[in-house]
Structures are given as structure tokens and as C-alpha cells.
Amino acid sequence: MTQGRELFNRKEGLKVKFACILCHQQEKAIEKSSLEKIGDKLPVIINKHITEKSKGARIPDDSQEMKALMAYIRDEHS
């Protein structure tokens, strides 16, 4: 979970301008009900935020980074 936490909390790991945690905390945290609705589309949603909101490059759905980030998000919000 450490890699996923670092990717979520630090912009350097994903090479983005803004870390995920800057927007997704407290009242804007990802809710369990939202994760359930998203289901298998979580990589699509993550990449949409990375490319559109954080001004980074898409990461492959099957990459170690994506797997770690998804595991962290699901673990933290379940």
C-alpha cells in the first residue's frame, strides 16, 4: 500500500502538476458508494483526472503504478 499512498499524496510519482490528495481530502474524499458505482472503470476515472485535472500523462491500466494506486484508493475508502 505504500507505493499507492505515495502516488496519491505526491505529484512526483505520477509526474503530474497536482497530487491527488490536494483535491481528494475531507469533504471531497472519494466515497465508498462512488467506488462501488465506478467498479471496473476506476482506471479510466483515474486517468481522466490525471490527464485533465493534474495535467499529467495517462498511465497504463495494467501498470504497477495503476495497480498500486487502485489498491490504495480501494483500501482507504472501503
Side-chain angles (χ1 to χ4, degrees):
M1 226 45 77
T2 302
Q3 182 185 15
R5 180 181 302 117
E6 286 195 22
L7 291 171
F8 192 85
N9 290 312
R10 299 181 65 221
K11 64 182 184 175
E12 295 81 11
L14 294 174
K15 299 180 180 111
V16 294
K17 289 188 179 190
F18 310 102
C20 305
I21 191 67
L22 290 177
C23 294
H24 295 284
Q25 58 182 320
Q26 296 163 1
E27 70 277 351
K28 290 187 176 183
I30 303 163
E31 296 180 12
K32 181 180 178 182
S33 61
S34 295
L35 281 175
E36 291 171 357
K37 289 177 190 174
I38 292 168
D40 293 338
K41 294 179 183 161
L42 186 55
V44 174
I45 302 298
I46 290 171
N47 270 318
K48 181 176 179 168
H49 279 76
I50 286 173
T51 58
E52 294 178 11
K53 307 282 184 182
S54 296
K55 309 301 182 205
R58 183 187 177 287
I59 58 175
D61 293 354
D62 62 346
S63 68
Q64 186 62 35
E65 291 85 3
M66 180 63 79
K67 291 176 185 175
L69 196 51
M70 289 189 327
Y72 173 72
I73 291 169
R74 287 187 172 131
D75 184 62
E76 283 295 305
H77 302 283
S78 59

